[in-house]
């Protein structure tokens, strides 16, 4: 399947009774999640990068053909803003290797306070080996220009397409794959609200167009409140299928 639809994260207390039964242990939540989805975006890695052993464990625990995308650590993206990234790239490479055939895309979400820096991005892209697929989510508007898109294209890295409050929605495919993050339809708050069937059908049509171009597509819903991400992803998956 060339379209992978899931959620950003799998372990939320408010998903009890929606994804897993009430009282399910934290360790057991993943087991229930993989019964309903075949991909996930690891979001907790942004706050604390997991140990290498955790990636090895996920490789073993995840079922065949399951794909995990992982969000890069905020110390690299928001504190250092990609400056002197050598040690982090080395660390992420080791972990990415452990994930093996379960690895999907490494998401690099940059700080909204980090304005465009072509040379810093170019240097980072040169350090990351081509077997690590990258997607960049730019939160500062200055990144949205042609020279940045062309740089991503040269390195086979994806521009992360965003749907959410006050975020620019630019339908630009710069890699052999498309990476789409659905942050919720609420016009005032990120991660809020539930997408209507009309909204989801519009996105299903865009996904079909990318598929027709031969692109692999990754879609992750981040509007986790009240289980909206779960329901929206299942609905969209049905439309796409």
């Amino acid at each position: 399947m060339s379209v992978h639809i899931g959620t950003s994260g799998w372990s939320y207390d408010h998903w009890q009774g929606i994804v897993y039964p009430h009282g399910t242990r934290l360790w057991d939540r993943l087991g229930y999640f993989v019964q309903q989805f075949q991909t996930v975006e690891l979001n907790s890695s942004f706050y604390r990068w997991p140990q290498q052993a955790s990636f090895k464990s996920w490789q073993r625990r995840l079922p065949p053909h399951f794909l995990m995308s992982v969000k890069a650590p905020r110390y690299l993206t928001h504190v250092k803003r990609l400056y002197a990234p050598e040690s982090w790239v080395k660390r992420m490479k080791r972990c990415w290797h452990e994930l093996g055939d379960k690895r999907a895309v490494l998401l690099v979400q940059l700080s909204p306070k980090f304005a465009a820096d072509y040379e810093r991005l170019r240097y980072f892209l040169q350090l990351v080996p081509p077997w690590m697929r990258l997607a960049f989510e730019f939160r500062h508007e200055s990144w949205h220009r042609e020279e940045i898109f062309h740089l991503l294209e040269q390195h086979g890295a994806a521009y992360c397409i965003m749907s959410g409050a006050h975020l620019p929605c630019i339908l630009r495919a710069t890699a052999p794959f498309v990476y789409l993050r659905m942050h919720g339809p609420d016009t005032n708050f990120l991660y809020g609200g539930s997408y209507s069937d009309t909204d989801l059908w519009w996105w299903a049509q865009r996904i079909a167009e990318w598929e027709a171009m031969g692109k692999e597509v990754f879609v992750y819903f981040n509007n986790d409140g009240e289980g909206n991400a779960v329901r929206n992803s299942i609905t969209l998956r049905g439309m796409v299928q």
Side-chain angles (χ1 to χ4, degrees):
M1 182 180 179
S2 60
V3 179
H4 315 276
I5 302 174
T7 62
S8 183
W10 69 78
S11 183
Y12 298 98
D13 290 343
H14 51 276
W15 283 9
Q16 294 185 80
I18 299 173
V19 178
Y20 19 79
H22 290 282
T24 300
R25 297 182 305 170
L26 292 176
W27 175 264
D28 295 328
R29 289 178 176 177
L30 181 59
Y32 285 99
F33 182 88
V34 299
Q35 293 176 29
Q36 301 184 47
F37 297 94
Q38 291 188 313
T39 189
V40 73
E41 179 188 83
L42 182 66
N43 199 30
S44 60
S45 54
F46 177 73
Y47 303 98
R48 183 178 181 182
W49 187 257
Q51 296 294 320
Q52 193 170 338
S54 296
F55 287 88
K56 188 173 184 178
S57 174
W58 287 322
Q59 200 285 329
R60 185 180 65 253
R61 293 177 62 202
L62 294 173
H65 310 299
F66 191 99
L67 294 175
M68 175 183 281
S69 291
V70 179
K71 194 173 180 181
R74 62 180 174 181
Y75 188 78
L76 169 67
T77 59
H78 285 54
V79 178
K80 299 194 72 174
R81 301 182 185 181
L82 300 185
Y83 177 76
E86 292 84 358
S87 61
W88 269 111
V89 170
K90 185 177 180 180
R91 185 176 178 184
M92 291 188 297
K93 281 170 57 179
R94 289 197 302 265
C95 293
W96 212 234
H97 175 74
E98 293 291 354
L99 200 54
D101 60 350
K102 307 298 170 56
R103 58 185 177 234
V105 180
L106 179 68
L107 171 67
V108 183
Q109 181 197 88
L110 299 183
S111 168
K113 297 180 181 179
F114 182 19
D117 189 322
Y118 181 93
E119 289 303 322
R120 192 173 294 189
L121 177 61
R122 184 180 65 84
Y123 181 71
F124 179 78
L125 285 166
Q126 290 176 339
L127 284 182
V128 179
W131 55 270
M132 293 180 67
R133 290 190 289 188
L134 296 176
F136 287 85
E137 187 174 43
F138 300 118
R139 293 293 183 90
H140 194 285
E141 61 183 9
S142 62
W143 290 96
H144 299 111
R145 60 181 195 240
E146 286 302 315
E147 65 174 352
I148 298 298
F149 294 140
H150 290 156
L151 180 61
L152 295 179
E153 289 173 354
Q154 291 169 13
H155 290 270
Y159 167 77
C160 177
I161 298 169
M162 301 173 287
S163 168
H166 305 301
L167 293 173
C169 185
I170 301 173
L171 303 180
R172 189 66 178 260
T174 61
F177 62 96
V178 172
Y179 200 93
L180 171 61
R181 300 190 86 207
M182 306 290 284
H183 293 303
D186 194 300
T187 56
N188 297 309
F189 301 99
L190 276 172
Y191 322 124
S194 178
Y195 287 93
S196 68
D197 286 353
T198 300
D199 288 338
L200 294 176
W201 180 245
W202 188 88
W203 282 109
Q205 292 175 306
R206 304 291 79 72
I207 292 170
E209 292 169 359
W210 289 320
E211 265 200 299
M213 296 167 59
K215 305 285 187 182
E216 189 173 8
V217 183
F218 294 87
V219 184
Y220 297 106
F221 285 83
N222 205 13
N223 52 333
D224 61 89
E226 300 179 351
N228 290 323
V230 175
R231 286 184 284 269
N232 289 168
S233 58
I234 292 174
T235 298
L236 179 62
R237 188 173 64 198
M239 292 176 175
V240 169
Q241 291 174 344

